[in-house]
Amino acid sequence: MNKKIAVIKGDGIGPEIITEAMKVLDTVAQKYGHTFEYTQLLMGGCSIDANGVPLTDETIATCKASDAVLMGSIGGDTNTSPWYKLPANLRPEAGLLGIRKALGLFANLRPCLLYPQLSGACPLKEEISAKGFDMLIMRELTGGLYFGERKTEEVNGVMTAIDTLSYNENEIRRIAIKAFEVAMKRRKKVTSVDKANVLDSSRLWRKVVNEVAKDYPEVTLEHMLVDNSAMQLVKDPAQFDVMVTENMFGDILSDEASMITGSIGMLPSASMNETKFGLYEPSGGSAPDIAGQNKANPIATILSAAMMLRYSFDLIDEADAVEEAVRKTLDDGYRTGDIMSDGCKAVSCSEMGDLICQRI
Ligand code: NAD
C-alpha cells in the first residue's frame, strides 16, 4: 500500500514526538511492505515565525491532497511566548481551528484506555481500576451550542444571554454512521448520550441514531442520559465501548474520561470527515516546560499513528501490532518521566520510540 501522509510537527515537544511516531510508521512500512510518503508542513507558532500566519493556504492544500495528516502539537508558553501578544486570529491555536474547518473534520475520536500496567495512575478506586477499561468517545465537533447563534441583550431592563443548541438530521446522521463504523472495528457496542428527557435536539438525535442503527444489526445500541453517563464513567467505565454524543456533552465527557486514564502522554486522538480522511494527534499540548529535552512521552502520538493505520488506511493487523508493541514495552517496565513508578526503568522520548519499534 502506498499512502501520502502530511506531517505537521508543530511546536514545543511536537517535533520530538512526531519523530518517534514516524520511526514507528517506517518500521511498519518495512515489515508489512508499505510505502508512506511524508510531506512536512508548518502550522502554529513555527508557521507564524516563517510566514507571519499560523496556517497557510499551502498547508491546507497539501493536507487535502494527502491520505491523512499526522500532527504533533502547536502553541507555546501562553505567558511568555511573543505569539500570544498577537491578535487572536493570528495566534498558534487559530491554525488548529482553521485546519479543522478547512478539512471538514466533524467527528472527534478519543480512545480512553487504562493499561493494567498504569492502573496506579488512575484516580478511581482500585476495585474499579483493576478491571481496566478501553473505550472511545466520539464527539460531534462542528455543530451544537458552540456554533449556534448567540447574543447578549437587555430585555425589560435585565441583561440576558442566549446561546442556541441546534442540530439538523444530516449532522446527526453522519456522526452516528461514523460511530457505528468505528464500533464495527471494535467491540460492537454504541452508547448514544443525550438529554432526550428535556431537549428537542436530543430527541431528534435519538430518533436519527435509532434509524442509523438499523443498518448495523451486529452492533448493540443503548441510549444514556448525559448526567447518568458522567456518573457511569467513574462508577463502571469498563461497560463502554463507543460513546457518541453532541459537541458540548462530548467536550465535558471526553475530559472526564481522559482524567481517569491517569496520563495525558498516553492519549491519542483523531478528527475525521465523511470519508476515511483524518487528522491524527495526541490529546495533549506542546508541553513547553519539557520541550527540547528528549523527555516527552511519545506514546500518545505513536497510538495516534496506529489510529491512522486503522481508521484511514484499514491496516488493522498493522494497527494491532503497534498497539501490542506499546503494551509489551510497558510490560517490560519502560517508562518516560510522566508515567514513571517505583521499580520501572526510566527512558527518554527517543529510547521509548526505539523500544516500541523493536517490538513491532
Ligand atoms: P500541555 O498538554 O502542553 O501540558 C500540560 C502538562 O502535561 C505539562 O506539565 C506537560 O509537560 C505535560 N505533558 C503534555 N504532554 C506530554 C507528553 N507527551 N509527555 C509528557 N508530559 C506531557 O498543556 P498546556 O501547558 O496547557 O499548553 C501548552 C501549549 O499547548 C499551549 O500553547 C496550548 O495552547 C497548547 N495546546 C495545544 C494543543 C494542540 O496542539 N492540539 C492542545 C492543547 C494545548
Side-chain angles (χ1 to χ4, degrees):
M1 185 176 276
N2 192 338
K3 292 287 179 192
K4 289 197 187 101
I5 304 173
V7 177
I8 298 170
K9 289 189 172 179
D11 308 313
I13 59 170
E16 300 160 57
I17 53 183
I18 285 285
T19 299
E20 300 316 307
M22 288 170 72
K23 240 187 227 176
V24 166
L25 286 172
D26 286 340
T27 306
V28 167
Q30 205 177 7
K31 177 143 190 228
Y32 291 85
H34 305 303
T35 308
F36 298 135
E37 263 177 65
Y38 306 106
T39 310
Q40 309 241 7
L41 300 167
L42 296 181
M43 199 183 98
C46 54
S47 175
I48 296 173
D49 292 344
N51 309 307
V53 287
L55 176 65
T56 61
D57 291 344
E58 188 201 338
T59 291
I60 293 173
T62 309
C63 288
K64 281 186 176 167
S66 305
D67 296 301
V69 182
L70 182 65
M71 192 169 97
S73 50
I74 53 113
D77 186 321
T78 48
N79 294 315
T80 59
S81 164
W83 299 328
Y84 295 93
K85 297 202 165 59
L86 295 167
N89 64 331
L90 288 179
R91 290 183 191 173
E93 287 70 17
L96 205 54
L97 295 176
I99 200 155
R100 286 188 178 139
K101 192 164 175 226
L103 300 176
L105 305 172
F106 67 86
N108 182 240
L109 286 66
R110 267 220 229 171
C112 292
L113 194 155
L114 181 66
Y115 290 91
Q117 301 92 333
L118 303 181
S119 63
C122 173
L124 301 179
K125 279 187 188 160
E126 206 185 322
E127 70 228 45
I128 300 170
S129 62
K131 278 205 277 177
F133 54 86
D134 177 1
M135 61 177 297
L136 183 147
I137 297 198
M138 184 168 303
R139 165 188 171 193
E140 204 288 329
L141 214 51
T142 57
L145 207 52
Y146 297 173
F147 289 86
E149 245 177 75
R150 70 190 79 243
K151 63 179 172 188
T152 305
E153 61 186 359
E154 209 174 289
V155 179
N156 299 330
V158 181
M159 285 307 288
T160 307
I162 301 173
D163 295 290
T164 317
L165 201 180
S166 148
Y167 271 105
N168 69 41
E169 58 180 312
N170 297 334
E171 291 169 319
I172 303 169
R173 187 166 293 109
R174 65 183 185 175
I175 185 98
I177 290 172
K178 208 68 171 174
F180 281 93
E181 293 288 338
V182 166
M184 287 295 289
K185 291 183 176 178
R186 293 177 46 101
R187 299 195 308 278
K188 299 192 173 70
K189 180 179 173 191
V190 169
T191 304
S192 174
V193 172
D194 62 35
K195 188 73 179 167
N197 52 344
V198 179
L199 302 175
D200 264 22
S201 56
S202 282
R203 285 191 271 271
L204 181 63
W205 180 279
R206 203 174 268 218
K207 179 173 175 283
V208 175
V209 171
N210 279 333
E211 284 165 15
V212 171
K214 289 184 190 143
D215 294 332
Y216 299 88
E218 284 176 61
V219 178
T220 305
L221 168 67
E222 68 175 3
H223 298 281
M224 195 177 277
L225 295 175
V226 62
D227 37 358
N228 186 25
S229 306
M231 289 191 284
Q232 294 299 326
L233 264 177
V234 289
K235 193 173 159 225
D236 180 18
Q239 69 183 287
F240 297 113
D241 179 17
V242 175
M243 182 187 272
V244 62
T245 190
E246 63 93 44
N247 201 343
M248 185 180 66
F249 297 161
D251 188 8
I252 298 166
L253 292 177
S254 61
D255 270 15
E256 184 188 358
S258 64
M259 256 319 287
I260 58 176
T261 64
S263 171
I264 191 83
M266 299 293 297
L267 292 171
S269 86
S271 302
M272 302 189 75
N273 67 14
E274 267 121 338
T275 68
K276 288 189 183 292
F277 182 87
L279 181 149
Y280 297 85
E281 58 176 325
S283 294
S286 59
D289 52 332
I290 54 166
Q293 299 171 40
N294 200 13
K295 276 185 184 169
N297 185 347
I299 293 179
T301 318
I302 289 168
L303 292 174
S304 301
M307 287 182 81
M308 179 168 78
L309 297 173
R310 186 181 303 280
Y311 296 116
S312 282
F313 304 163
D314 279 323
L315 295 175
I316 309 297
D317 288 348
E318 289 83 340
D320 286 345
V322 173
E323 289 169 3
E324 188 50 34
V326 168
R327 241 171 256 129
K328 276 192 209 144
T329 309
L330 294 173
D331 266 344
D332 293 342
Y334 296 104
R335 303 281 190 275
T336 44
D338 57 315
I339 52 172
M340 188 60 192
S341 57
D342 287 350
C344 291
K345 292 163 252 186
V347 293
S348 65
C349 178
S350 54
E351 283 167 335
M352 182 58 95
D354 290 339
L355 289 160
I356 292 169
C357 288
Q358 285 160 19
R359 287 161 178 76
I360 290 174

